[in-house]
Amino acid sequence: MSTTFKRTRIALLSGLTLSATLLAPLAMAEVSGAVSVTNDYRFRGVSQTAGDPALQANIDWSHDSGFFVGAWGSNVDFDEPGYNGPDVEVDLYAGYYGEINDDTSYDLTLYRYNYPGDSELDYLEVSAGIDFNGFRAAYWYTDDYGGSDLALHYTEINYSWGFAEDWSLDLHYGYNFGDAIDDGEGFDSYSDYSIGVSTEFSGFAVSVAYLDTDIDGDYEVNSGVYKNSGTLLASVSYAF
């Protein structure tokens, strides 16, 4: 199996995670959105822009009942010798957000990942998440990752601690497993994790984090397409 194919099995495609900070306003506002810039678009620890910056935006509509729909987009770069991949990712999603009590909420979401220019990569994914006192746990599943007819599971746990006014410490751990990344040679799962700080001022949200994975050996990519080694990730976004 070629190194390129191994990397592709690890992370060919991308998507987004709805955070507690995004989901909470959805139940209250009819229309919301954001525009952001990041120095590298990482999805579950793996670069979707070959280590280069990304411009991203989302827009969401929600109902007071808790139902919401939205769209999110970003530039991507999967180009390799012999393969000219898509340049844009457009994700559509719909779901339901509910509150159990003042401290606990949950969400169920269906995603459709679209890659104009190579529709064979498009796929559906579902997720379920719960938030409690700064913690968030979620599970994601698709049975057709990247149009491969192979299953991929993702579980994550996050914690955000407000240690000062408008400042938080953000921790993340995620675990990827399933046939979509099982190459039959002993590699069938990997973890991604990050630690960072974030703040808000004048309508802007700024975050800086160190992100890494436990991918090593022949599967570790230190630069270019599907880079998965440790990096300092910075982003700035403006919500409207």
Side-chain angles (χ1 to χ4, degrees), residues 3-14 40-52 76-81 83-86 115 118 121 145 190 213 215 218-229:
T3 300
T4 296
F5 186 65
K6 289 178 181 178
R7 295 175 184 175
T8 302
R9 292 290 293 278
I10 295 172
L12 176 60
L13 297 176
S14 55
D40 186 3
Y41 170 18
R42 289 287 180 115
F43 175 64
R44 299 172 186 172
V46 181
S47 178
Q48 308 299 296
T49 50
D52 292 330
V76 295
D77 182 1
F78 303 140
D79 293 351
E80 294 187 280
Y83 176 65
N84 185 21
Y115 297 86
D118 196 344
L121 302 180
Y145 183 68
Y190 75 92
T213 73
I215 300 173
D218 292 340
Y219 300 100
E220 185 175 5
V221 182
N222 294 306
S223 63
V225 178
Y226 311 130
K227 178 181 177 182
N228 54 42
S229 57

Side-chain angles (χ1 to χ4, degrees), residues 185-218:
E185 299 177 5
F187 180 84
D188 59 3
S189 64
Y190 75 92
S191 299
D192 65 275
Y193 48 89
S194 65
I195 179 172
V197 294
S198 57
T199 187
E200 297 181 13
F201 61 90
S202 302
F204 289 90
V206 179
S207 66
V208 178
Y210 177 77
L211 179 149
D212 204 350
T213 73
D214 63 359
I215 300 173
D216 57 15
D218 292 340

